[in-house]
Amino acid sequence: MLACLTLLQVKRRHYTIAIREWKKKKFKNIHCLSVLIFLCLNSQGVRKSYREVIDVSWGDPHRAGVKPLSFVRQVLAACLYPQLMDGDKLMVDVKQRAQRLLKTCAGGSVGSYSDAAGIPQIIQSVSEYILRRDGGIPCHPENIYITPGSQWALTNILKVLVNSEASPRTGVLIPVPCHSTTIVSLTALGAVAVPYYLSEERGWALEVETLQQALDSAKGVCNPVALYIINPGNPVMFKFYKILKFWTCFVSYKRALAEIGAPLSDTVELASFHTASKGLMGECGLRTGYVELVNLDPAVMKYINNLFSTNSCPVLGQVALDVMVNPPQPGDPSYPLYLKHIRASLAENVRRVEEVINSFPSFSCQSLEGGAFAFPRVFLPPKAIEKAKEAGLQPDTFYCMRLLEEAGVLFSPGTEYGQMEGTYHISFCIMTPTDTMEEILKRLSTFHKQFMREFA
Amino acid sequence: MLACLTLLQVKRRHYTIAIREWKKKKFKNIHCLSVLIFLCLNSQGVRKSYREVIDVSWGDPHRAGVKPLSFVRQVLAACLYPQLMDGDKLMVDVKQRAQRLLKTCAGGSVGSYSDAAGIPQIIQSVSEYILRRDGGIPCHPENIYITPGSQWALTNILKVLVNSEASPRTGVLIPVPCHSTTIVSLTALGAVAVPYYLSEERGWALEVETLQQALDSAKGVCNPVALYIINPGNPVMFKFYKILKFWTCFVSYKRALAEIGAPLSDTVELASFHTASKGLMGECGLRTGYVELVNLDPAVMKYINNLFSTNSCPVLGQVALDVMVNPPQPGDPSYPLYLKHIRASLAENVRRVEEVINSFPSFSCQSLEGGAFAFPRVFLPPKAIEKAKEAGLQPDTFYCMRLLEEAGVLFSPGTEYGQMEGTYHISFCIMTPTDTMEEILKRLSTFHKQFMREFA
């Protein structure tokens, strides 16, 4: 038990919080969460109804059992051990890709250092991808940095943005719900996180009115200089918020900015992040992503260049990024298998999660449009809320703990992401194998019915 | 020409300096250094005596053409694409290692997130390796952090050590010669780099007297709180310098500290770094290393834990680290090939570099005992020194530029690492294929004779 707690303490913040509260409140039936699968006994040593804890509280598809995309892994393996290309086990397009990418590495090896900003040819690939995505709006390779994941890049951009000694303090508008890591980074830098509430009823849409409210709330508190936006799998950040009223439909924010026209399109500073950790690849362990910087002052760019030169993206991560921005195309030998993989990955889970969750009147799940997480609202009965408060817990934390204890499924409570006062949510990653998602939904349904009966 | 300069400007500092000076002084015959191999023409467009520039100014063995160790790459490829283990192409010990390591990854995939400090089982492997290395002196896994390379870890430890607002300023004793990146990191943090000179005559040994001199030189300037030491491929750092007088022979500094006994062994704070970028693997592109922290205050450890949680080592890097600390052993199926690889790598180069360089009375090269670089002293004739000064260059920079221009070999001048006043050195990586090293030595010999004749 002690060993388990020690292990957990080094894990993500919400684990630590949950366990700390759990321990404090003497919920004792938890045995180990450090990996996905554990045999679970209750406090009397009797086996529970489940044999494994399923942990979908992380945005970590492979942890949840999603299989990696073969094309990605084959190209990486061939780059690591080029002798693999001698046989006929690998498709010709895998070999061609690996050969092309190896040529971009110094000494023809993924074991050599790359330029701090990334391998120039891979930066070029990323830039062409952005150009295609945005329908031809120019994208300059010198504005792109390949980074070891997007969180690290985001923290560095925030360092540039936030003046820790400013008075009034620097403010950054952040959405609610939002990952707690962003808020932690902001406050650690001395900035004020100014929350703006997304509209749950409109599928978590961003509304100009709520941004205006957030700006009003910042008056006298801080000086808001930037707006942080999370798109499904595509967080972007704007400096200055004049642009808000121009958003009408979903396109990339880079494109939206360009289409507004001068003077905003030439002056609003934009940092747009992307990563191979999310999206179809889900390759969190490779630590790779990129940031595109638009309209930044050359002196600031120089400063950022120095900041980013302290830590480069691993070369294999860069190779994976090349595949992310140039996946197999129809006609390529690897395309049929690739297509099968990506089809298997998400669509069925999206359909089932919406179907099962929305079959309960005490749940409400917005349409899942490309994000890695579901964030359904749960309407908790007053007795459950009361019970939670007695235990000194937020009601949704109480719900998630009971779910874990009784059904062996680990979700995150909405409390960790922020939510409108008086509303409660649960958050879980939907990128799992379909049979895992079926099992999760089965356990959730059984637990939920029982929970609602108990506190009716 | 312009494109080439732009490329170069994002590269390592010494390139930029060299090229800036070069351009300023109108040395015009350089065409492109951005990768290892280029066709070289002189300013009249006539082909030079060499077809390729050989760049051994980096500590980057794979860039210089060294082949990766097969065992490492096979284990990594098998972890990435486990289907490779189905056939009989891979040795049984490769498969066993890959299977064992995959079990330590969440969801059995190197694509999942790991704990920020590293995968617990791999931390355990590192800890057992340190225990063996130090003859049984205890090593606690909770003191070890697996990090994305050692430079990033070092910079973070320096952040903890240096109080940027202290008066007098924080001082750190650094060896001369030393990589310029360390000095840049220190000064960026507001610390004072206090140089102590290694004794070239004694094979670059560290002497207590020079440390005392360095401490004396710091009086009234700064408050020295730490001592930075680079061992061949194994930089370590001590906080407080009381320990100095106890060093007698080469062992790890962790072991030296332990063997001194209480109270020093229980109180001197030590941070010891290691990386897969240097040493036999030379896997710079994987971005992996570790730091062991000894005798640190628990509150400081907690702070460091937070710092290190902002950026984890890529999982494949962690896998490589496991192989680094547990290479194949006699009796293992992969051992014969592994042995052949590591034998081929360095011993012959060490012998030949010492032999050829020391055959010139105007060169003096200390015995190369495990470092990745040779740093021979060059006795430049007064006329060459004068000529360099006329050109506004340090004499050894002038020498290295002429070497590059006339022989197509890129070394670093000693100036970049620091050296005793009035002495001049050249620095180059000795981790190259043996035939590359032969070519380097041949070109260097021809050039050097000509240079010495020219300025006799």
Side-chain angles (χ1 to χ4, degrees):
Chain A
M1 181 70 177
L2 252 181
C4 140
L5 287 173
T6 311
L7 256 180
L8 284 163
Q9 270 145 16
V10 297
K11 302 201 86 182
R12 302 193 126 200
R13 197 165 154 264
H14 62 261
Y15 277 85
T16 320
I17 294 169
I19 297 307
R20 204 187 309 135
E21 290 183 354
W22 199 294
K23 214 179 155 190
K24 215 161 45 191
K25 301 297 161 195
K26 300 195 195 313
F27 290 88
K28 283 187 175 164
N29 314 32
I30 176 170
H31 288 269
C32 199
L33 293 170
S34 70
V35 297
L36 188 65
I37 292 171
F38 274 88
L39 198 69
C40 293
L41 309 175
N42 72 10
S43 52
Q44 279 77 45
V46 177
R47 185 171 292 180
K48 293 198 166 185
S49 64
Y50 52 91
R51 287 179 58 88
E52 315 165 344
V53 170
I54 304 175
D55 177 359
V56 275
S57 64
W58 301 55
D60 188 347
H62 293 201
R63 173 178 298 259
V66 168
K67 293 279 161 274
L69 295 176
S70 295
F71 185 75
V72 180
R73 294 303 188 91
Q74 286 173 349
V75 171
L76 290 172
C79 284
L80 266 169
Y81 193 58
Q83 289 89 327
L84 291 175
M85 293 188 271
D86 294 343
D88 52 4
K89 289 247 175 177
L90 298 176
M91 295 281 195
V92 63
D93 53 345
V94 169
K95 293 182 190 177
Q96 282 167 347
R97 180 71 65 99
Q99 277 154 353
R100 178 170 74 68
L101 288 167
L102 278 177
K103 276 190 199 142
T104 71
C105 301
S109 167
V110 292
S112 53
Y113 286 114
S114 77
D115 288 356
I119 294 171
Q121 293 89 334
I122 297 180
I123 293 179
Q124 182 65 33
S125 291
V126 171
S127 134
E128 287 162 9
Y129 156 79
I130 296 174
L131 189 87
R132 288 194 304 274
R133 182 196 69 187
D134 293 341
I137 288 159
C139 177
H140 305 293
E142 62 272 24
N143 290 343
I144 295 169
Y145 289 84
I146 298 179
T147 60
S150 59
Q151 187 58 40
W152 183 83
L154 175 59
T155 306
N156 274 296
I157 296 293
L158 287 176
K159 276 184 194 164
V160 177
L161 212 60
V162 175
N163 177 354
S164 63
E165 288 161 11
S167 175
R169 287 200 285 159
T170 305
V172 176
L173 274 73
I174 58 148
V176 177
C178 178
H179 294 282
S180 56
T181 45
T182 310
I183 301 168
V184 170
S185 297
L186 272 175
T187 42
L189 290 166
V192 177
V194 182
Y196 63 91
Y197 290 84
L198 300 176
S199 166
E200 180 164 7
E201 296 70 32
R202 294 190 45 227
W204 301 110
L206 192 161
E207 293 180 330
V208 176
E209 296 72 30
T210 57
L211 284 170
Q212 193 56 57
Q213 284 161 14
L215 285 175
D216 292 344
S217 77
K219 270 178 195 144
V221 178
C222 62
N223 173 31
V225 299
L227 166 63
Y228 177 66
I229 305 168
I230 305 170
N231 258 350
N234 183 23
V236 288
M237 193 196 308
F238 277 101
K239 193 170 170 195
F240 305 128
Y241 36 81
K242 294 176 198 164
I243 197 175
L244 304 186
K245 50 180 167 287
F246 297 93
W247 292 333
T248 49
C249 60
F250 183 81
V251 284
S252 84
Y253 291 105
K254 164 98 181 288
R255 183 170 181 168
L257 182 59
E259 291 182 348
I260 287 167
L264 288 178
S265 59
D266 301 333
T267 53
V268 171
E269 293 169 280
L270 171 70
S272 171
F273 305 87
H274 196 6
T275 167
S277 302
K278 303 289 174 277
L280 289 169
M281 280 169 56
E283 292 280 5
C284 310
L286 294 178
R287 316 304 309 123
T288 185
Y290 72 80
V291 57
E292 185 190 9
L293 303 167
V294 180
N295 289 335
L296 266 69
D297 185 281
V300 175
M301 281 299 275
K302 204 173 157 192
Y303 181 74
I304 288 175
N305 198 58
N306 282 342
L307 262 183
F308 281 2
S309 71
T310 59
N311 194 12
S312 61
C313 176
V315 172
L316 285 171
Q318 301 189 43
V319 166
L321 209 60
D322 187 275
V323 176
M324 183 180 92
V325 299
N326 284 312
Q329 296 300 312
D332 292 348
S334 296
Y335 185 72
L337 181 62
Y338 177 78
L339 191 68
K340 199 177 141 203
H341 270 185
I342 59 173
R343 277 199 179 142
S345 67
L346 211 53
E348 178 62 8
N349 283 1
V350 166
R351 195 185 66 75
R352 286 291 291 152
V353 168
E354 290 181 5
E355 182 178 68
V356 173
I357 299 264
N358 286 327
S359 73
F360 291 94
S362 46
F363 270 131
S364 151
C365 186
Q366 295 300 313
S367 170
L368 303 167
E369 287 171 344
F373 287 88
F375 198 74
R377 180 169 175 182
V378 53
F379 298 87
L380 295 173
K383 281 188 187 163
I385 296 173
E386 206 177 299
K387 182 83 180 175
K389 284 181 179 162
E390 276 172 27
L393 293 173
Q394 288 294 325
D396 47 11
T397 305
F398 175 69
Y399 181 90
C400 286
M401 285 170 133
R402 287 287 298 268
L403 173 67
L404 174 58
E405 199 182 350
E406 286 163 33
V409 175
L410 183 54
F411 285 7
S412 296
T415 299
E416 283 183 20
Y417 293 81
Q419 55 202 349
M420 195 73 84
E421 176 89 25
T423 69
Y424 306 110
H425 295 80
I426 52 176
S427 166
F428 60 100
C429 182
I430 57 171
M431 296 183 77
T432 70
T434 48
D435 53 353
T436 307
M437 189 47 72
E438 279 306 322
E439 174 68 17
I440 292 168
L441 293 171
K442 199 179 105 195
R443 293 194 199 178
L444 176 68
S445 300
T446 310
F447 163 79
H448 187 69
K449 278 179 213 153
Q450 210 174 309
F451 183 92
M452 295 306 277
R453 257 201 311 273
E454 183 180 343
F455 294 101
Chain B
M1 182 68 178
L2 252 182
C4 138
L5 287 174
T6 310
L7 257 179
L8 283 163
Q9 270 144 17
V10 297
K11 302 199 82 171
R12 304 194 125 198
R13 196 164 154 265
H14 62 261
Y15 276 85
T16 321
I17 293 169
I19 297 308
R20 204 186 310 133
E21 291 184 352
W22 199 293
K23 214 178 152 190
K24 214 159 49 191
K25 299 298 161 193
K26 302 195 194 309
F27 290 89
K28 284 186 173 162
N29 316 30
I30 177 170
H31 288 270
C32 198
L33 293 170
S34 70
V35 297
L36 189 65
I37 292 170
F38 275 87
L39 199 70
C40 293
L41 310 174
N42 72 11
S43 51
Q44 280 78 45
V46 177
R47 185 170 290 180
K48 293 198 168 187
S49 64
Y50 52 91
R51 288 179 58 88
E52 315 165 343
V53 170
I54 304 175
D55 178 359
V56 276
S57 64
W58 301 55
D60 188 347
H62 292 200
R63 174 178 298 258
V66 168
K67 293 278 160 275
L69 295 176
S70 294
F71 184 76
V72 180
R73 293 302 188 90
Q74 287 174 349
V75 171
L76 290 172
C79 284
L80 267 169
Y81 193 58
Q83 289 88 325
L84 291 175
M85 293 188 271
D86 294 343
D88 52 5
K89 288 247 175 175
L90 297 175
M91 295 280 193
V92 64
D93 53 345
V94 170
K95 292 182 190 178
Q96 283 167 347
R97 180 69 66 98
Q99 277 154 353
R100 178 170 75 67
L101 288 167
L102 279 177
K103 276 190 198 141
T104 71
C105 301
S109 167
V110 293
S112 54
Y113 286 115
S114 77
D115 288 356
I119 294 171
Q121 293 90 333
I122 297 180
I123 293 179
Q124 183 65 35
S125 290
V126 171
S127 135
E128 287 163 9
Y129 157 79
I130 296 174
L131 189 88
R132 288 194 303 274
R133 181 196 70 187
D134 293 342
I137 288 159
C139 177
H140 306 292
E142 62 272 23
N143 290 343
I144 295 169
Y145 289 83
I146 299 180
T147 59
S150 58
Q151 187 59 40
W152 182 83
L154 175 60
T155 306
N156 273 295
I157 295 294
L158 287 176
K159 276 184 194 163
V160 178
L161 211 61
V162 175
N163 177 352
S164 63
E165 287 161 11
S167 175
R169 287 198 287 158
T170 305
V172 176
L173 274 72
I174 57 146
V176 177
C178 178
H179 293 282
S180 55
T181 45
T182 311
I183 301 167
V184 170
S185 298
L186 273 175
T187 42
L189 290 166
V192 178
V194 182
Y196 63 89
Y197 289 84
L198 300 176
S199 166
E200 179 163 9
E201 297 69 31
R202 295 191 44 227
W204 301 110
L206 193 162
E207 293 181 327
V208 176
E209 296 72 30
T210 57
L211 284 171
Q212 193 55 58
Q213 285 162 13
L215 285 175
D216 292 344
S217 78
K219 271 179 194 144
V221 178
C222 63
N223 173 31
V225 299
L227 167 61
Y228 177 65
I229 304 167
I230 305 169
N231 258 352
N234 183 23
V236 289
M237 193 196 309
F238 277 100
K239 193 169 168 194
F240 304 130
Y241 36 82
K242 293 177 197 162
I243 197 175
L244 304 184
K245 48 180 168 290
F246 295 93
W247 292 331
T248 49
C249 61
F250 183 82
V251 284
S252 85
Y253 290 104
K254 163 99 182 286
R255 182 169 183 169
L257 182 60
E259 290 182 348
I260 286 168
L264 288 178
S265 60
D266 301 333
T267 52
V268 171
E269 292 169 279
L270 171 70
S272 171
F273 305 85
H274 196 7
T275 167
S277 302
K278 302 291 174 277
L280 289 169
M281 281 169 54
E283 292 281 5
C284 309
L286 294 178
R287 315 304 308 126
T288 185
Y290 72 81
V291 56
E292 185 191 10
L293 302 167
V294 180
N295 289 334
L296 266 68
D297 185 281
V300 176
M301 281 299 274
K302 205 173 156 191
Y303 181 74
I304 288 175
N305 198 59
N306 282 342
L307 262 182
F308 281 3
S309 71
T310 58
N311 193 12
S312 61
C313 177
V315 172
L316 285 171
Q318 301 189 44
V319 167
L321 208 61
D322 187 274
V323 176
M324 182 179 94
V325 299
N326 284 312
Q329 297 299 312
D332 292 348
S334 296
Y335 185 72
L337 181 62
Y338 176 77
L339 191 68
K340 198 177 141 204
H341 271 184
I342 60 172
R343 276 200 179 141
S345 67
L346 210 53
E348 178 63 9
N349 283 2
V350 165
R351 195 185 67 74
R352 287 291 292 152
V353 167
E354 290 182 4
E355 183 178 67
V356 173
I357 299 266
N358 286 326
S359 73
F360 291 93
S362 45
F363 271 131
S364 152
C365 186
Q366 295 299 314
S367 171
L368 303 166
E369 287 171 343
F373 287 89
F375 197 74
R377 181 169 175 183
V378 52
F379 298 88
L380 295 173
K383 281 188 188 163
I385 296 173
E386 207 176 301
K387 183 83 180 175
K389 286 183 178 162
E390 277 171 27
L393 294 173
Q394 288 294 325
D396 47 12
T397 305
F398 175 70
Y399 180 91
C400 285
M401 287 171 131
R402 288 287 299 266
L403 173 67
L404 175 58
E405 200 182 349
E406 286 164 33
V409 174
L410 183 54
F411 286 6
S412 297
T415 299
E416 282 183 20
Y417 294 80
Q419 53 201 349
M420 194 73 86
E421 175 88 26
T423 68
Y424 306 110
H425 296 79
I426 51 177
S427 166
F428 59 99
C429 181
I430 56 172
M431 295 183 78
T432 70
T434 48
D435 53 352
T436 307
M437 188 48 72
E438 278 308 319
E439 174 69 17
I440 291 167
L441 293 171
K442 198 179 104 194
R443 292 193 199 179
L444 175 67
S445 299
T446 311
F447 163 78
H448 187 68
K449 277 179 213 154
Q450 209 173 309
F451 184 90
M452 295 306 277
R453 256 200 312 272
E454 183 180 343
F455 295 102

